[in-house]
Amino acid sequence: MTTHHPTDVIEPDDEHLLAEPAEDVELSSAQLDVEALKQWQLGRWAEIRQEARELAAQEELIKIEGLPMAEHRERVLQQLQILVDANAVHRAFPSELGGNNDPGGNIAGFTELVIADPSLQIKAGVQWGLFGAAVLHLGTESHHRRFLPGIMDLSVPGAFAMTEIGHGSDVSAIGTTATYDPQTQEFVLHTPFRAATKEYLGNAALHGKDAVVFAQLITQGVNHGVHCFYAHLRDDQGNMLPGVRSEDDGLKGGLNGIDNGRLAFDQVRIPRDYLLNRYADVAEDGTYSSDIASPGRRFFTMLGTLVQGRVSLDGSSVVAAKIGLAAALRYAEQRRQFTTDSDIEEQLLLDYQLHQKRLLPRLAKTIAMGFAHEELLTKFHEVFSGENDTDENRQDLETMAAALKPQSTWHALDTLQEAREACGGAGFMAENRFASLRADLDIYVTFEGDNNVLLQLVAKRLLGDFADEFKTFNFGTISKFVAGHAREAVYYRSGLSRWMQAVADTGSERKSANWFKNDDVQHGLLSSRVETMVNAVGSKLMTVAKADPATQARTFNQNQVELIEMAKAHADLITWEAFTRALERLPQSAGEETVQVLRWVRDLYALTVIEENLDWYLMNGRISVNRARTLGSYINRLLHRIRPFTQELVDSFGLEDRHLRSTVATNAESVRQQEAAEYYRQLRASADAPVAEKSLKKK
Amino acid sequence: MTTHHPTDVIEPDDEHLLAEPAEDVELSSAQLDVEALKQWQLGRWAEIRQEARELAAQEELIKIEGLPMAEHRERVLQQLQILVDANAVHRAFPSELGGNNDPGGNIAGFTELVIADPSLQIKAGVQWGLFGAAVLHLGTESHHRRFLPGIMDLSVPGAFAMTEIGHGSDVSAIGTTATYDPQTQEFVLHTPFRAATKEYLGNAALHGKDAVVFAQLITQGVNHGVHCFYAHLRDDQGNMLPGVRSEDDGLKGGLNGIDNGRLAFDQVRIPRDYLLNRYADVAEDGTYSSDIASPGRRFFTMLGTLVQGRVSLDGSSVVAAKIGLAAALRYAEQRRQFTTDSDIEEQLLLDYQLHQKRLLPRLAKTIAMGFAHEELLTKFHEVFSGENDTDENRQDLETMAAALKPQSTWHALDTLQEAREACGGAGFMAENRFASLRADLDIYVTFEGDNNVLLQLVAKRLLGDFADEFKTFNFGTISKFVAGHAREAVYYRSGLSRWMQAVADTGSERKSANWFKNDDVQHGLLSSRVETMVNAVGSKLMTVAKADPATQARTFNQNQVELIEMAKAHADLITWEAFTRALERLPQSAGEETVQVLRWVRDLYALTVIEENLDWYLMNGRISVNRARTLGSYINRLLHRIRPFTQELVDSFGLEDRHLRSTVATNAESVRQQEAAEYYRQLRASADAPVAEKSLKKK
């Protein structure tokens, strides 16, 4: 029996593909325009990034490996003050308060701080990106006037008290209450049981003087859901205020420069105007009011500021991956191991096919994710600067952040690990930073939105675009997370039509392995995967669109794995699109060769993603068996083509030795090899050079 | 156009598969015989494992997280003395020296030490498994008499000085020389250049008094290749001896209880009889002699003792994966998050399909790898106890260790990471150990044989079985690593024939998704993958069998990625076989249900491996497109079936709280939830319970 698929029409005469001469010029002797590539990747906020890198290279800001936790925490607190003094952390705040009204530039600078020490970065994120941002975005003018100056100049370090022991991803279910008492015109903050203790909060264990606290707002006998309150934790001597209890989380898998801890409140009274009241308020008599009628929508509006953290982690992960790759690839260009013959020089690691396959696709992904981040950051800037703050753009921003942050944070861990392994034992030494960076970034995959929860939000949004029914569908696990609303799914439909054109194409392309390098083919393959999955899962879920919530949730759960895959496929697609758009921005003045090599890198990104999901493409008839068989060798050919330019690509990251701070990234290995080679040269020239037993036997 | 594959003959009527009722009994209410499962997994050396676990739970042996490096190193040294006093580390040594002649039991006990602290384990491995084992296996009686007592009782801590800065995997290329001086009847140990400095040696930075040193033996003007010498490093006060230089590697990504460091020798003279002369000797006049004529074969014979380290790491990785899984799965059985409706209890993590998909296949792999390790350890015991010390069995042992160690060490990292992520923020806390264990085990994937280098050895062996030509083939990268010799490839041929039978089968199996649960089908799919890849790569390499070494090496390199895949496929196959053979050992007295559930676990292992390589099966016509489409849902069905038994499966590991030492593995989460539930119950019952705004709006 045979299989029939409507799309399985392209059947190249693949047997000849490998013998076919490459039609692209071989460029191994060309030189790339590294400076053009660098500016291209630094993007819109190049200047701020460069400034931040200057800062991040300063001795007093860099991580000291192995510092005991207590000293590391103290050092990072002092580093935050250095950032304040350098004017490095106020860009997002309004100019009237001493900021720059530049939310995009703020994140651009912030992401580069990962170079210095992820603890420093995240503690800065807690202070200004979460604690300060909550006051800015959820508070009103009087809060800004009263609280922001101290937050900005770090005289008031603070915690962002949202997560509880019992509830992380499902914020709406937190247990802390803020009950309004009209007698005294105060809210009573209270932790009613152990699981409602605030948990994992930076600044909570030691340094936090104040906090923003998320709690169920109860007034006049009604629970209006989660709202954000300002609260004092410690006096100026650092003593806990009455009713506030703090516990230290102690040692963690990484980020030990941050004093994470727990906070609990025992009937702590705060003034009525400590409610950050931009979206809702309580009058003196306890009357609740809000411009946003729907409690769900109100909740998600208030949580909207969280997107900043996701955007930041996405960008930081790309920077961290670049550090790891730069070090491992510089080493691979120097380190030699094994030879075919004792008279022949040993082979460079990077000339091994396996080594190329381990590192170059990750290089391509990292560059691709850099451009995806640039688009995400631009969208973030549009929304938060007010340039284009529409509901739709805000929702696109949230979906995009939810799609990219999981992919890039996982990618950073994967890349740092592969880079460490690619350097063998040297990769394990603290002086080469791989393990340290990886340990610090580990938590990025589950904080500011657990990756798998975020991907479900993406899936929900994709389904919402697929059919109106899903706007009210009970998604169970994530039902309360995002208020999805209608939008035409123009995107995928247009993707499909372009793809249909690509596969229907006839003529010379048919018989060529070069099919895979066609933009339309790549886009068609990536977009049809999303579209097909949305259709498939959507159709399955549609069968229960009228069922009770429990049935809907159960059906959702039975397709959860596929929903996650669908969301990842979406992230892959928008990453590819961002890279492809970026190619158009690469100045022609960089020269043809540079453009060509970067197109190969983009192709390598696309084909790596397609190879990772090749079973899907085969099962869904999107790639024929014969075509699929050529993919591996086509990728190997790309690796071979890109390999001569690896060093220039790495240089184009613009990361200098003072940023990498990694011995394997220096020329130490080359120097040692030269010394060894010189020893053997002199030995061979001398009279008393020993003869190898092996060569004696041959004679 | 359509595709034709000779084997693509099985085309079930798959559309009906999902609707088809499961033919197995649903067992969700059954109870497993946990004790039987525990004994079954503890295996041949159950008693020794239990003793080691008792030891590993002792307060003074367990890792203290966050201990500064200097204190951790000191603590671990003292712990080694505790192991000596407990008679826990001498099992492999001859009984006349106070050992037990029990190499298998020794490793079994050793692997369990990872429970206490991987630093303790590896430092013990350095002292007795490398330093001591080298004296035992490469030395002769006088060495045993002189050196082993001090090594065994730890009065002489020592280093195993093989790796150099410049050469890790390629030991034959090390630069350290041992030149014989007949005038004084001494060897002169010398480090001729920086790259020849010994590197990453445990006990080198601080504690090592003596060492075994691998160096090029030069006498009478001939270099006889790498040999092993005994040397003194420090005097009794800990001062370096003249000419010996030590440097501290400092902080590492993990295992910071071990004082890794570098050693260099400046014309250090050692007596002639410090050559460990079991396989080669130098007479007083400098005449070299060896029973093994071939220098290559001699080298590999001397390196044969290294297999012990690989066997140990394989077993230790399985234990570590069990710790991570036990903790994450106990948490997943308690932790609830998200609900479809505020009136309904939140859902257990482990009831989410995604959570099952993340953890249960890893559980199945871990159990499978446990049985593969048991077979490896048995073979190791046969060879090293002399029970069956043939060349062939020794070579099988080396191939098996080279295949299993990469898979299990990578699996441990992957599993510990997934387990950590599956516990969210809690997973990142040091108190839950995931990150700490993962950091310590990180280096397991590149030491005692880099995983990718070991897999190439396996590939070489598989090709050697495929065709005689490969016995002299120049494999370039790994040519000097293993002396392959002829053996009938009966294995794969028999595998093929059984598989052909399975796919040629007709009748009711054809139309059933249960095809996948058939032993012959699973074995056929797994073995045909190895066999087909060996044939494919073998045929490609055969075309250059007569070419010059450089061409051969280049061709090898062009197929390197595929060779690695082939070796992994081989490891998957032997792991499956070990699990399947183990099923036959599961006592019937455990009850039908227990046997059935463990068969599902075995099926889950097989189908997970097949799903991971599904693109290959499709491209090679081993699984039809329609059949492949049913695989995902068949696996989901297995997850659903196994899920009710997860806790009992975890319990069958026999790891108690004192071994797991992880808060999430306790019932703390349940207790907190009960407290919260009680609070809400009382609140609902009280007069002043707040009403949710949402429910007000509905009215």
Side-chain angles (χ1 to χ4, degrees):
Chain A
M1 236 186 109
T2 56
T3 56
H4 294 273
H5 297 294
T7 53
D8 206 350
V9 286
I10 311 293
E11 200 63 27
D13 189 5
D14 287 334
E15 299 309 311
H16 305 294
L17 290 182
L18 294 179
E20 171 199 343
E23 91 298 5
D24 298 306
V25 204
E26 292 291 342
L27 297 174
S28 54
S29 62
Q31 274 214 323
L32 302 191
D33 185 340
V34 173
E35 185 54 32
L37 289 177
K38 183 179 157 189
Q39 290 305 323
W40 176 57
Q41 289 175 88
L42 283 172
R44 173 170 170 180
W45 290 278
E47 209 176 313
I48 291 175
R49 287 187 192 279
Q50 292 285 42
E51 274 175 39
R53 288 183 182 184
E54 279 304 317
L55 206 55
Q58 287 183 20
E59 199 63 32
E60 64 268 32
L61 289 183
I62 66 175
K63 181 175 181 182
I64 298 173
E65 301 293 343
L67 207 60
M69 185 176 77
E71 290 171 46
H72 193 186
R73 286 172 168 188
E74 206 45 54
R75 177 175 168 87
V76 167
L77 180 65
Q78 285 159 17
Q79 289 172 334
L80 255 52
Q81 194 63 56
I82 298 174
L83 294 181
V84 171
D85 298 342
N87 264 317
V89 283
H90 297 157
R91 292 190 185 94
F93 291 95
S95 51
E96 57 270 28
L97 292 162
N100 301 68
N101 287 319
D102 185 4
N106 177 57
I107 301 290
F110 176 81
T111 56
E112 303 289 338
L113 292 182
V114 80
I115 293 170
D117 182 351
S119 285
L120 158 67
Q121 177 185 51
I122 298 301
K123 182 131 170 159
V126 168
Q127 176 68 13
W128 297 292
L130 291 172
F131 174 52
V135 172
L136 177 65
H137 295 296
L138 302 180
T140 48
E141 215 214 315
S142 72
H143 301 117
H144 297 173
R145 225 175 25 237
R146 264 190 297 173
F147 300 133
L148 284 181
I151 294 172
M152 289 171 71
D153 71 11
L154 199 66
S155 54
V156 182
F160 182 80
M162 187 165 77
T163 295
E164 296 178 355
I165 295 176
H167 288 93
S169 295
D170 188 0
V171 177
S172 70
I174 57 171
T176 303
T177 50
T179 309
Y180 185 65
D181 177 356
Q183 302 301 319
T184 60
Q185 296 190 22
E186 289 169 325
F187 285 101
V188 183
L189 272 181
H190 188 60
T191 305
F193 44 80
R194 176 70 182 163
T197 307
K198 296 296 176 184
E199 174 63 303
Y200 311 134
L201 319 177
N203 278 335
L206 288 178
H207 301 142
K209 279 189 179 168
D210 292 356
V212 289
V213 181
F214 290 79
Q216 306 282 352
L217 188 160
I218 298 164
T219 181
Q220 296 178 339
V222 177
N223 181 343
H224 291 278
V226 175
H227 289 66
C228 187
F229 301 84
Y230 199 87
H232 301 297
L233 305 177
R234 291 179 173 88
D235 64 21
D236 287 341
Q237 284 69 51
N239 305 309
M240 297 310 295
L241 293 174
V244 185
R245 201 176 68 245
S246 154
E247 292 168 5
D248 196 324
D249 280 331
L251 203 72
K252 304 183 295 291
L255 293 186
N256 281 305
I258 307 176
D259 57 327
N260 292 86
R262 292 177 281 266
L263 288 177
F265 301 93
D266 184 9
Q267 311 284 357
V268 172
R269 289 183 168 260
I270 54 173
R272 182 178 67 93
D273 64 0
Y274 272 32
L275 167 64
L276 299 178
N277 61 345
R278 175 161 170 192
Y279 296 108
D281 209 350
V282 170
E284 292 185 4
D285 68 350
T287 306
Y288 180 86
S289 63
S290 171
D291 288 343
I292 308 175
S294 151
R297 207 175 133 80
R298 197 188 307 136
F299 173 69
F300 289 113
T301 303
M302 290 195 266
L303 256 58
T305 52
L306 288 178
V307 76
Q308 172 167 348
R310 293 167 193 162
V311 176
S312 305
L313 297 186
D314 178 58
S316 307
S317 299
V318 173
V319 176
K322 284 182 176 175
I323 293 173
L325 280 171
L329 284 166
R330 283 184 183 165
Y331 189 65
E333 281 278 25
Q334 296 174 54
R335 176 78 169 178
R336 295 172 181 277
Q337 206 76 175
F338 290 109
T339 172
T340 50
D341 196 301
S342 49
D343 296 334
I344 300 175
E345 194 178 27
E346 293 161 297
Q347 188 168 311
L348 282 173
L349 293 191
L350 199 50
D351 285 329
Y352 287 103
Q353 186 190 54
L354 182 68
H355 218 79
Q356 293 170 13
K357 181 83 175 181
R358 291 166 71 184
L359 296 178
L360 298 189
R362 288 177 169 91
L363 175 67
K365 272 197 187 183
T366 303
I367 293 173
M369 286 175 172
F371 289 115
H373 173 72
E374 179 80 2
E375 292 200 355
L376 174 62
L377 187 53
T378 301
K379 196 172 277 295
F380 172 81
H381 186 74
E382 284 171 9
V383 168
F384 280 79
S385 70
E387 275 178 23
N388 181 11
D389 185 9
T390 62
D391 261 15
E392 187 183 326
N393 211 30
R394 198 172 266 267
Q395 206 167 4
D396 284 352
L397 168 65
E398 284 182 8
T399 306
M400 197 172 172
L404 296 182
K405 181 264 185 183
Q407 295 291 70
S408 57
T409 52
W410 274 325
H411 172 71
L413 297 191
D414 166 69
T415 298
L416 289 164
Q417 181 64 23
E418 196 67 46
R420 119 79 192 120
E421 292 181 28
C423 297
F428 194 55
M429 300 298 116
E431 65 170 26
N432 289 315
R433 265 182 98 194
F434 302 109
S436 162
L437 266 178
R438 197 203 167 284
D440 285 332
L441 265 73
D442 183 358
I443 192 66
Y444 288 28
V445 304
T446 54
F447 77 176
E448 299 297 314
D450 178 276
N451 281 359
N452 282 305
V453 173
L454 292 179
L455 289 171
Q456 287 175 74
L457 298 188
V458 175
K460 191 184 169 187
R461 171 67 185 275
L462 293 172
L463 289 170
D465 288 351
F466 167 74
D468 282 344
E469 278 79 352
F470 290 115
K471 270 135 221 162
T472 56
F473 194 87
N474 190 317
F475 288 99
T477 59
I478 57 163
S479 62
K480 305 193 193 74
F481 223 96
V482 149
H485 77 155
R487 200 170 70 101
E488 258 299 281
V490 178
Y491 194 67
Y492 297 108
R493 283 173 204 149
S494 69
L496 178 67
S497 62
R498 286 174 64 192
W499 178 72
M500 291 305 288
Q501 204 180 357
V503 295
D505 210 5
T506 57
S508 64
E509 277 296 276
R510 264 206 187 183
K511 300 218 172 194
S512 164
N514 294 314
W515 188 69
F516 280 122
K517 69 164 207 166
N518 185 310
D519 276 21
D520 283 344
V521 168
Q522 290 176 12
H523 186 264
L525 289 171
L526 294 172
S527 64
S528 79
R529 181 162 141 81
V530 185
E531 196 225 3
T532 306
M533 292 177 98
V534 171
N535 274 294
V537 186
S539 305
K540 271 190 267 183
L541 295 184
M542 280 290 244
T543 61
V544 293
K546 311 262 179 243
D548 59 295
T551 305
Q552 290 188 345
R554 193 167 55 247
T555 309
F556 182 88
N557 190 35
Q558 282 162 354
N559 291 279
Q560 198 185 17
V561 170
E562 204 169 342
L563 285 159
I564 294 285
E565 284 306 304
M566 180 176 102
K568 288 180 182 170
H570 171 75
D572 295 339
L573 171 63
I574 62 177
T575 301
W576 182 90
E577 291 185 322
F579 199 166
T580 302
R581 275 190 286 267
L583 281 176
E584 289 160 20
R585 293 197 300 273
L586 185 55
Q588 288 302 313
S589 61
E592 256 179 66
E593 290 86 354
T594 300
V595 175
Q596 176 62 73
V597 170
L598 269 295
R599 281 191 64 88
W600 287 337
V601 174
R602 196 279 320 264
D603 292 351
L604 180 58
Y605 170 72
L607 301 185
T608 299
V609 169
I610 289 165
E611 191 180 45
E612 285 165 357
N613 301 294
L614 193 53
D615 55 344
W616 187 91
Y617 287 104
L618 286 160
M619 283 192 285
N620 289 273
R622 292 299 186 276
I623 298 178
S624 71
V625 163
N626 283 350
R627 178 79 79 190
R629 284 179 174 157
T630 69
L631 182 58
S633 40
Y634 191 78
I635 289 175
N636 287 341
R637 204 202 288 177
L638 277 175
L639 297 175
H640 183 73
R641 282 177 175 163
I642 294 168
R643 188 257 170 272
F645 307 102
T646 309
Q647 211 45 61
E648 288 163 290
L649 288 169
V650 160
D651 290 345
S652 78
F653 292 163
L655 296 168
E656 302 161 23
D657 283 352
R658 63 198 178 123
H659 300 125
L660 300 178
R661 306 198 309 272
S662 171
T663 311
V664 290
T666 67
N667 68 342
E669 173 67 17
S670 283
V671 170
R672 282 191 302 261
Q673 279 179 24
Q674 283 159 18
E675 186 205 352
E678 179 59 21
Y679 165 82
Y680 285 120
R681 199 191 57 71
Q682 291 187 5
L683 186 68
R684 275 193 301 272
S686 75
D688 54 344
V691 194
E693 179 188 337
K694 218 181 235 176
S695 57
L696 279 180
K697 305 236 155 145
K698 283 184 190 156
K699 288 168 197 169
Chain B
M1 235 185 111
T2 55
T3 56
H4 294 273
H5 298 294
T7 53
D8 206 348
V9 286
I10 310 294
E11 200 63 28
D13 189 3
D14 287 335
E15 299 308 313
H16 306 294
L17 290 182
L18 294 179
E20 172 199 341
E23 91 297 8
D24 298 306
V25 203
E26 292 293 341
L27 296 175
S28 55
S29 63
Q31 275 213 323
L32 303 191
D33 186 340
V34 173
E35 186 54 33
L37 290 176
K38 183 179 155 189
Q39 290 305 323
W40 176 58
Q41 289 175 87
L42 283 172
R44 173 170 172 180
W45 291 278
E47 208 176 315
I48 291 175
R49 287 186 193 279
Q50 292 286 42
E51 273 175 39
R53 288 182 183 186
E54 279 303 317
L55 206 56
Q58 286 183 20
E59 199 63 32
E60 63 268 32
L61 289 182
I62 65 176
K63 181 175 181 182
I64 298 173
E65 301 294 343
L67 208 59
M69 185 175 80
E71 291 171 43
H72 193 186
R73 286 172 167 188
E74 206 45 53
R75 177 175 168 87
V76 167
L77 180 66
Q78 286 160 16
Q79 289 172 335
L80 255 52
Q81 195 61 57
I82 298 174
L83 295 181
V84 171
D85 298 342
N87 265 319
V89 284
H90 297 157
R91 293 191 184 92
F93 292 96
S95 50
E96 57 271 27
L97 291 162
N100 302 66
N101 287 321
D102 184 4
N106 177 56
I107 302 290
F110 177 81
T111 56
E112 302 289 339
L113 292 182
V114 80
I115 292 171
D117 181 350
S119 285
L120 158 67
Q121 176 185 51
I122 298 302
K123 182 131 171 160
V126 169
Q127 177 68 14
W128 297 292
L130 291 172
F131 174 52
V135 173
L136 177 65
H137 294 295
L138 303 180
T140 48
E141 214 213 316
S142 72
H143 302 118
H144 296 173
R145 222 177 26 239
R146 263 190 296 173
F147 300 134
L148 283 182
I151 293 172
M152 288 172 70
D153 71 12
L154 199 66
S155 54
V156 183
F160 182 81
M162 187 165 77
T163 295
E164 296 179 355
I165 295 176
H167 288 93
S169 294
D170 188 1
V171 176
S172 70
I174 58 171
T176 303
T177 51
T179 310
Y180 185 67
D181 177 358
Q183 302 302 319
T184 60
Q185 296 189 23
E186 289 168 325
F187 285 101
V188 183
L189 272 181
H190 188 60
T191 305
F193 44 80
R194 176 70 183 164
T197 306
K198 297 295 178 184
E199 173 62 303
Y200 312 134
L201 320 176
N203 277 335
L206 288 177
H207 302 142
K209 279 189 179 167
D210 292 356
V212 288
V213 181
F214 290 79
Q216 307 282 351
L217 188 160
I218 298 163
T219 181
Q220 296 179 338
V222 177
N223 181 341
H224 292 277
V226 176
H227 289 66
C228 187
F229 301 83
Y230 199 87
H232 301 298
L233 305 177
R234 291 180 171 88
D235 64 22
D236 288 340
Q237 284 69 51
N239 305 310
M240 299 309 297
L241 294 173
V244 185
R245 201 177 68 246
S246 155
E247 292 168 3
D248 196 325
D249 280 331
L251 203 72
K252 304 183 295 291
L255 295 186
N256 281 306
I258 307 175
D259 57 327
N260 292 85
R262 292 177 281 265
L263 288 177
F265 301 91
D266 182 12
Q267 311 283 357
V268 172
R269 290 183 166 261
I270 55 174
R272 182 178 65 94
D273 63 1
Y274 272 31
L275 167 65
L276 298 178
N277 63 345
R278 176 160 170 194
Y279 296 107
D281 209 351
V282 171
E284 292 186 3
D285 67 350
T287 307
Y288 180 87
S289 64
S290 171
D291 288 343
I292 308 175
S294 151
R297 207 175 133 78
R298 198 188 306 137
F299 173 69
F300 288 112
T301 303
M302 290 196 264
L303 256 57
T305 53
L306 287 179
V307 77
Q308 172 167 347
R310 292 166 194 163
V311 176
S312 305
L313 296 187
D314 178 57
S316 307
S317 298
V318 174
V319 176
K322 285 182 175 173
I323 294 172
L325 280 171
L329 284 166
R330 284 187 182 163
Y331 189 65
E333 280 278 25
Q334 297 173 54
R335 176 77 170 178
R336 294 172 182 276
Q337 206 75 175
F338 290 110
T339 171
T340 51
D341 196 302
S342 48
D343 297 334
I344 301 175
E345 194 178 28
E346 292 160 298
Q347 188 169 312
L348 282 173
L349 292 191
L350 200 49
D351 285 328
Y352 287 103
Q353 186 190 54
L354 182 68
H355 218 78
Q356 293 170 12
K357 180 84 174 180
R358 290 167 73 185
L359 295 178
L360 298 188
R362 288 178 169 91
L363 175 67
K365 272 197 188 183
T366 303
I367 294 172
M369 287 174 171
F371 289 114
H373 173 72
E374 180 79 3
E375 293 199 355
L376 174 64
L377 186 54
T378 301
K379 196 171 277 296
F380 172 82
H381 186 75
E382 283 172 8
V383 169
F384 280 79
S385 70
E387 274 178 25
N388 181 11
D389 184 11
T390 61
D391 260 15
E392 187 183 326
N393 211 29
R394 199 173 266 267
Q395 207 167 4
D396 284 352
L397 167 65
E398 284 182 9
T399 306
M400 196 172 172
L404 295 182
K405 181 262 185 183
Q407 295 292 70
S408 58
T409 52
W410 275 324
H411 172 70
L413 297 191
D414 168 68
T415 297
L416 288 165
Q417 181 65 23
E418 197 67 44
R420 119 79 193 121
E421 292 181 28
C423 297
F428 194 56
M429 300 298 116
E431 66 171 25
N432 289 314
R433 265 182 98 194
F434 302 108
S436 161
L437 266 177
R438 197 203 166 284
D440 285 333
L441 264 75
D442 183 357
I443 193 65
Y444 288 27
V445 304
T446 53
F447 77 176
E448 299 298 313
D450 178 276
N451 281 358
N452 282 305
V453 174
L454 292 179
L455 289 171
Q456 287 174 75
L457 298 189
V458 176
K460 191 184 169 186
R461 171 67 185 276
L462 293 172
L463 290 170
D465 286 352
F466 167 75
D468 282 344
E469 278 80 352
F470 290 115
K471 271 135 221 163
T472 55
F473 195 89
N474 190 318
F475 288 98
T477 60
I478 57 164
S479 62
K480 303 191 193 76
F481 224 96
V482 148
H485 77 152
R487 199 171 70 101
E488 259 298 280
V490 178
Y491 194 67
Y492 296 110
R493 282 171 205 152
S494 68
L496 178 67
S497 63
R498 286 174 64 191
W499 179 72
M500 292 305 287
Q501 206 181 353
V503 296
D505 210 5
T506 57
S508 64
E509 277 296 275
R510 264 205 188 185
K511 301 215 171 197
S512 163
N514 293 316
W515 188 69
F516 281 122
K517 70 165 208 166
N518 185 310
D519 276 21
D520 283 343
V521 167
Q522 289 175 13
H523 186 263
L525 289 171
L526 294 172
S527 64
S528 78
R529 180 163 141 82
V530 185
E531 196 224 2
T532 306
M533 291 176 98
V534 170
N535 273 295
V537 186
S539 304
K540 271 191 266 182
L541 295 184
M542 281 289 243
T543 60
V544 293
K546 310 262 178 243
D548 59 294
T551 304
Q552 290 187 347
R554 193 167 57 246
T555 309
F556 183 87
N557 190 35
Q558 282 162 355
N559 292 279
Q560 198 185 17
V561 170
E562 205 169 342
L563 286 159
I564 293 286
E565 284 306 303
M566 180 175 104
K568 288 180 182 171
H570 171 74
D572 294 340
L573 171 63
I574 62 179
T575 302
W576 180 91
E577 290 185 325
F579 198 165
T580 302
R581 275 190 285 266
L583 281 176
E584 289 161 21
R585 293 197 301 273
L586 184 56
Q588 288 302 312
S589 61
E592 255 179 67
E593 291 86 355
T594 300
V595 175
Q596 176 62 74
V597 170
L598 269 294
R599 280 191 64 87
W600 288 336
V601 174
R602 197 279 320 264
D603 292 351
L604 180 58
Y605 170 73
L607 301 186
T608 298
V609 169
I610 289 165
E611 190 180 45
E612 285 165 356
N613 302 295
L614 194 51
D615 56 344
W616 187 92
Y617 286 105
L618 286 160
M619 283 192 284
N620 288 274
R622 293 298 187 275
I623 298 178
S624 72
V625 164
N626 283 349
R627 179 78 80 190
R629 284 179 173 157
T630 69
L631 182 58
S633 40
Y634 191 78
I635 289 175
N636 287 341
R637 206 202 286 178
L638 278 174
L639 297 176
H640 183 73
R641 283 178 174 163
I642 294 168
R643 188 256 170 273
F645 307 101
T646 309
Q647 210 46 60
E648 288 164 290
L649 289 168
V650 160
D651 290 345
S652 78
F653 293 162
L655 296 168
E656 301 161 23
D657 283 352
R658 63 200 178 121
H659 300 125
L660 300 178
R661 306 198 310 274
S662 171
T663 310
V664 291
T666 67
N667 68 343
E669 173 67 16
S670 284
V671 170
R672 281 192 302 262
Q673 279 179 24
Q674 282 158 18
E675 186 204 352
E678 179 59 20
Y679 164 81
Y680 285 119
R681 199 192 57 71
Q682 290 188 5
L683 186 67
R684 275 193 303 272
S686 75
D688 55 344
V691 194
E693 179 188 338
K694 220 184 234 174
S695 56
L696 278 181
K697 305 234 156 147
K698 280 185 191 155
K699 289 168 195 168

